[in-house]
């Protein structure tokens, strides 16, 4: 039976790749997408997810409005670096014009809790934006959230530096308090951080293969990822490609054997220059009830093969 999956996204370009990876995987039944602020405003994240779902032939999957700002602020503005990497619209200035459906009225947090109640251990939540919706769900009803099978997050950096500060990765830095609450909640969390995502790179040679497929979805994905690669050529020229952050988290939720994990009780530093750093929690280093694990190595060739096969199949005529 396919695993039920919720994607919690701040829908930028690699989040759109996470959607495609999930839809291209027969092991997954994508039951809904919940929206976060981050690469874009939350309302824009909803529209982007709806338009991507439409483009990929799944317009009926519901998209839920989530948090518009962090748990410690009252509003949110998109950072210039996010707009540079993902475009003003979050999806590489694609200007998707398909009509999008009416917004569902149930909140992201209520949907997450309802799904945990209904599917329990069969449910995976993959979060690839700030951890705010999960923190709000923890605050509202942790016992129900604890019925979930697994939570896989794209966020953090344990063995490498950050990408928005020397210490902090972007998703964690948006709401360090939320990430800290998640790590200390007792929920089963696998952290797919920069330690592994910066080892999974996609190039213009790869997007040319998509473009050659000739479908509207393949062309849109090739355009979108070329935009993302162009931004990486400016911000991280040494990588010679773009990092497949968010789809790797989906892949790990489906097949944990793609990575090597290190069990570690985590915390997020919330004070001073290291605010947003994900690191071992000294107070619980010997606590045997470790529920958090950090991915420290990835089988890059196997992941890239899976990525190309699954998304290529989805984008093909
Ligand atoms: C993460 O930050 C966001 O910009 C990306 O979509 C990804 O989830 C990478 O640090
Ligand atoms: Ca993201």
């Amino acid at each position: 039976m396919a695993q039920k999956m919720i994607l919690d996204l701040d829908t930028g370009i690699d989040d759109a790749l996470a959607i495609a990876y999930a839809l291209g995987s027969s092991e997954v039944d994508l039951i809904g997408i919940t929206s976060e602020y981050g690469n874009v405003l939350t309302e824009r994240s909803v529209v982007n997810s709806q338009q991507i779902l439409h483009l990929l032939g799944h317009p009926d999957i519901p998209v839920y409005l989530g948090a518009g700002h962090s748990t410690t602020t009252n509003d949110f503005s998109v950072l210039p670096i996010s707009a540079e990497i993902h475009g003003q619209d979050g999806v590489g200035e694609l200007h998707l014009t398909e009509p999008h459906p009416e917004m569902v009225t149930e909140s992201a947090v209520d949907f997450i809790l309802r799904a945990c109640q209904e599917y329990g251990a069969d449910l995976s939540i993959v979060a690839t934006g700030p951890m705010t919706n999960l923190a709000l769900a923890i605050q509202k009803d942790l016992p129900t959230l604890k019925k979930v099978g697994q939570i896989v997050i794209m966020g953090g950096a344990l063995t490498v530096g950050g990408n928005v500060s020397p210490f902090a990765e972007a998703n964690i830095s948006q709401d360090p308090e939320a990430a800290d609450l998640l790590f200390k909640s007792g929920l089963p969390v696998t952290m797919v951080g920069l330690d592994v995502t910066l080892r999974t790179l996609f190039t213009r040679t790869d997007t040319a293969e998509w473009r050659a497929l000739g479908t509207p979805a393949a062309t849109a994905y090739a355009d979108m990822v070329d935009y993302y690669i162009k931004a990486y050529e400016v911000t991280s020229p040494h990588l010679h490609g773009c990092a497949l952050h968010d789809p790797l988290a989906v892949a790990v939720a489906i097949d944990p054997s793609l990575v090597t994990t290190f069990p570690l009780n985590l915390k997020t530093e919330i004070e001073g220059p290291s605010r947003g750093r994900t690191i071992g929690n000294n107070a619980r280093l010997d606590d045997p009830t470790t529920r958090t694990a950090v991915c420290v190595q990835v089988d890059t060739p196997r992941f890239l093969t899976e990525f190309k096969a699954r998304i290529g199949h989805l984008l093909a005529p």
Side-chain angles (χ1 to χ4, degrees):
M1 193 185 67
Q3 61 170 283
K4 306 289 179 191
M5 185 176 286
I6 296 173
L7 296 178
D8 188 57
L9 311 177
D10 60 330
T11 307
I13 295 173
D14 59 329
D15 302 80
L17 291 172
I19 297 175
Y21 198 100
L23 292 178
S25 299
S26 58
E27 304 93 330
V28 170
D29 176 10
L30 181 60
I31 62 168
I33 294 176
T34 53
S35 302
E36 294 271 3
Y37 65 95
N39 293 322
V40 288
L41 300 179
T42 307
E43 292 78 6
R44 183 74 224 178
S45 174
V46 169
V47 171
N48 287 352
S49 294
Q50 289 171 333
Q51 292 183 330
I52 291 289
L53 288 169
H54 187 276
L55 181 72
L56 297 176
H58 291 269
D60 297 335
I61 294 174
V63 183
Y64 298 83
L65 183 66
H69 53 78
S70 81
T71 53
T72 58
T73 57
N74 293 319
D75 55 15
F76 170 75
S77 305
V78 176
L79 292 171
I81 184 68
S82 304
E84 186 184 339
I85 292 176
H86 298 270
Q88 293 291 340
D89 64 354
V91 286
E93 316 297 350
L94 265 192
H95 303 295
L96 292 168
T97 51
E98 294 82 4
H100 51 84
E102 285 299 302
M103 185 104 70
V104 289
T105 50
E106 186 177 21
S107 75
V109 167
D110 287 345
F111 169 65
I112 288 170
L113 292 170
R114 179 165 63 83
C116 289
Q117 185 67 41
E118 190 168 342
Y119 299 114
D122 295 332
L123 178 69
S124 295
I125 301 174
V126 180
T128 70
M131 303 303 138
T132 312
N133 287 336
L134 286 171
L136 295 174
I138 289 169
Q139 287 167 345
K140 186 161 186 175
D141 188 351
L142 180 57
T144 297
L145 197 56
K146 280 192 169 169
K147 295 178 193 287
V148 74
Q150 62 172 343
I151 297 174
V152 180
I153 68 163
M154 190 284 129
L158 182 73
T159 61
V160 297
N163 60 359
V164 293
S165 83
F167 299 103
E169 180 280 331
N171 288 337
I172 303 298
S173 79
Q174 299 280 14
D175 195 344
E177 284 80 2
D180 195 48
L181 189 65
L182 175 65
F183 291 145
K184 294 175 179 170
S185 65
L187 287 160
V189 177
T190 301
M191 180 177 123
V192 179
L194 300 177
D195 314 85
V196 282
T197 65
L198 289 176
R199 298 174 181 175
T200 59
L201 301 166
F202 210 58
T203 68
R204 288 183 191 277
T205 311
D206 300 317
T207 57
E209 286 180 20
W210 286 353
R211 196 176 298 285
L213 295 171
T215 62
T219 305
Y221 264 73
D223 287 347
M224 190 164 53
V225 177
D226 277 349
Y227 187 101
Y228 190 52
I229 291 171
K230 199 165 149 218
Y232 266 78
E233 284 166 354
V234 177
T235 59
S236 312
H238 59 286
L239 291 178
H240 306 292
C242 66
L244 298 174
H245 301 291
D246 295 352
L248 181 60
V250 177
V252 169
I254 297 169
D255 181 1
S257 77
L258 285 168
V259 288
T260 305
T261 55
F262 179 59
L264 178 68
N265 288 312
L266 286 164
K267 69 170 184 177
T268 307
E269 294 192 346
I270 53 175
E271 305 283 353
S274 59
R275 178 170 164 79
R277 180 185 196 182
T278 51
I279 194 166
N281 182 359
N282 288 29
R284 291 188 54 222
L285 284 184
D286 289 334
D287 184 340
T289 59
T290 306
R291 301 279 281 156
T292 47
V294 181
C295 299
V296 290
Q297 188 56 273
V298 55
D299 185 340
T300 302
R302 192 154 71 84
F303 168 66
L304 289 178
T305 300
E306 292 295 332
F307 181 85
K308 288 175 197 173
R310 288 165 191 250
I311 298 186
H313 181 71
L314 187 73
L315 299 178

